[in-house]
Amino acid sequence: MSAGLLLNIMICFAIAIVSFTFAAVITKNKPLWNNKTKPSLRALIALWTLVAITYFFTALRMIAAYAHNVELDMSVYYLAAIPFAFISVPLVYTLMYILTGSKQTSGFTGLAFSTFGLAYLMLLFSQGVMEPRVSYWSSLITVNSDIAINIYLAGLFILPTAMILGIMTLIFLRKVSKKQLYHTTLLLVSISFVIDFMLIDMITNIDVMQLVARIFVLIGTILAYLSYFPPLTLQERLGIEEKHYEPYDEMDEFDPEVDVNA
């Protein structure tokens, strides 16, 4: 049997485990929670939970491919597409909350982006997919609808990536603490890693490239965890030692008039 597929299965399960663990640790880490951080933390929990579910189903797909079960492979692909289609919703909510500090604005933006996910799913289920092409490294499935791919590109890649770049530019133009610079920059880099390589994972028809993309998604999830919970040695080296992290507390510097409880 294919050792490459077994490696792929392990990577997908690793992404699911790390993402779910990160979401669970944030949920249980009470010192992180206050009136300012609640909206962004809830969105991040939703984001990483969706990533975990997506790659849990993807791992099951690889197991089906390993077992030469084409029907199960395709069925699980459709299941994985559901959480995958809505990853942009908590993502843009988080980004908008960093930019504006407004729960209402962030909520409306997230709701608007949910239409991308619905449109993608409608086209995916109506147009269907091609039968899996199983290789040594992976099982590749191609979506029949080019429009669905373009919707995904706009909804999960182009617009969120532009927002991430804009936020990072603002951070570097303003004077922020080392803690805030480390935390926010690494979190945004990790999110960018995940969404960029999930895009490659989805659209590539090269099995090795898909495997490499999944490795980078795993790296992105690990970086996200480290953005909140860096090891003590790293804290000491960067000069950011402290007992608790309260993300986004200093992001109000973007607009001191914003009421984050709005």
Side-chain angles (χ1 to χ4, degrees):
M1 290 295 184
S2 171
L5 272 173
L6 289 176
L7 175 61
N8 203 325
I9 292 167
M10 288 189 291
I11 292 171
C12 291
F13 272 128
I15 294 170
I17 291 169
V18 174
S19 299
F20 183 76
T21 301
F22 182 36
V25 170
I26 292 178
T27 302
K28 295 180 179 180
N29 199 310
K30 299 302 180 184
L32 289 174
W33 294 81
N34 58 48
N35 289 334
K36 291 183 178 180
T37 62
K38 278 182 182 179
S40 59
L41 289 176
R42 286 171 178 165
L44 283 173
I45 290 169
L47 171 63
W48 295 110
T49 300
L50 290 174
V51 172
I53 295 172
T54 299
Y55 277 95
F56 173 76
F57 283 131
T58 302
L60 296 184
R61 268 197 61 223
M62 298 302 105
I63 293 174
Y66 187 86
H68 304 292
N69 192 328
V70 175
E71 290 185 0
L72 181 60
D73 190 347
M74 295 183 69
S75 297
V76 178
Y77 179 87
Y78 286 114
L79 289 176
I82 297 173
F84 173 77
F86 294 103
I87 284 176
S88 63
V89 178
L91 170 60
V92 297
Y93 183 100
T94 301
L95 297 176
M96 284 302 297
Y97 189 76
I98 294 175
L99 283 171
T100 68
S102 170
K103 291 187 289 185
Q104 187 175 25
T105 302
S106 302
F108 282 135
T109 306
L111 184 62
F113 270 77
S114 66
T115 60
F116 283 100
L118 288 172
Y120 173 78
L121 287 179
M122 289 175 61
L123 289 166
L124 176 67
F125 282 94
S126 63
Q127 300 295 321
V129 297
M130 295 182 182
E131 189 171 294
R133 180 170 61 86
V134 180
S135 70
Y136 179 83
W137 294 104
S138 188
S139 171
L140 298 167
I141 290 181
T142 303
V143 178
N144 287 329
S145 173
D146 290 336
I147 299 176
I149 300 298
N150 291 331
I151 288 174
Y152 172 74
L153 282 169
L156 187 59
F157 179 69
I158 297 175
L159 295 177
T161 300
M163 293 170 69
I164 289 173
L165 292 175
I167 293 171
M168 292 183 69
T169 301
L170 288 174
I171 291 173
F172 286 112
L173 288 176
R174 295 174 180 269
K175 292 182 179 180
V176 297
S177 68
K178 287 184 179 180
K179 181 205 79 172
Q180 191 65 38
L181 182 63
Y182 164 83
H183 166 75
T184 309
T185 301
L186 188 57
L187 178 63
L188 293 175
V189 167
S190 69
I191 291 174
S192 182
F193 256 60
V194 170
I195 65 170
D196 291 353
F197 285 102
M198 282 184 80
L199 169 67
I200 295 173
D201 183 351
M202 175 193 169
I203 67 176
T204 186
N205 58 4
I206 303 174
D207 54 0
V208 175
M209 185 177 293
Q210 184 185 74
L211 183 67
V212 171
R214 289 175 181 175
I215 292 173
F216 277 100
V217 172
L218 177 59
I219 292 172
T221 59
I222 294 172
L223 290 177
Y225 186 91
L226 292 177
S227 73
Y228 271 78
F229 309 106
L232 183 59
T233 53
L234 181 59
Q235 292 185 44
E236 292 174 348
R237 180 166 296 183
L238 296 177
I240 57 173
E241 308 97 321
E242 60 178 344
K243 292 183 179 180
H244 302 300
Y245 282 82
E246 295 186 354
Y248 307 128
D249 280 1
E250 296 176 27
M251 296 309 296
D252 293 343
E253 294 179 17
F254 289 127
D255 187 354
E257 299 299 323
V258 169
D259 179 5
V260 295
N261 294 312

